[in-house]
Amino acid sequence: MAKESCDGCGRTITVAGGIANIWSFSNQPSTGIMLEFEDGSDHLLCYPCIEQLPDDPSEADVAALEEYDPEADADTDADTSEN
Ligand SMILES: [Zn+2]
């Protein structure tokens, strides 16, 4: 297991250590895997980003992914009692 950041959105993700783990990702939305594209490049991507990619993704598709904004997430869970 290692902490890395997604090439698509930049959020910190945990990379599974073995191939057996890739099938359990539905329970771990904050994890990602290294994808090797047909053009020979490889990208570490989180699952939300992978789901947005077309069937034959390219570097341009990765570049087009929206950057993850942790503050936007925080806004949806605003709790004024904490401040
Ligand atoms: Zn991502």
Side-chain angles (χ1 to χ4, degrees):
M1 303 287 274
K3 295 281 188 184
E4 301 285 353
S5 56
C6 174
D7 282 354
C9 64
R11 90 174 79 191
T12 301
I13 55 181
T14 301
V15 181
I19 193 166
N21 289 328
I22 69 174
W23 304 117
S24 62
F25 67 82
S26 60
N27 293 327
Q28 302 175 26
S30 65
T31 61
I33 59 172
M34 185 73 77
L35 279 190
E36 189 170 329
F37 292 174
E38 301 215 350
D39 63 8
S41 66
D42 46 35
H43 296 275
L44 183 64
L45 295 168
C46 67
Y47 288 105
C49 284
I50 292 168
E51 287 180 7
Q52 292 178 55
L53 292 174
D55 285 342
D56 56 343
S58 67
E59 287 201 67
D61 293 312
V62 173
L65 290 167
E66 272 189 50
E67 207 162 295
Y68 175 65
D69 185 355
E71 290 187 11
D73 258 13
D75 283 347
T76 64
D77 190 30
D79 185 351
T80 52
S81 70
E82 296 283 335
N83 287 318

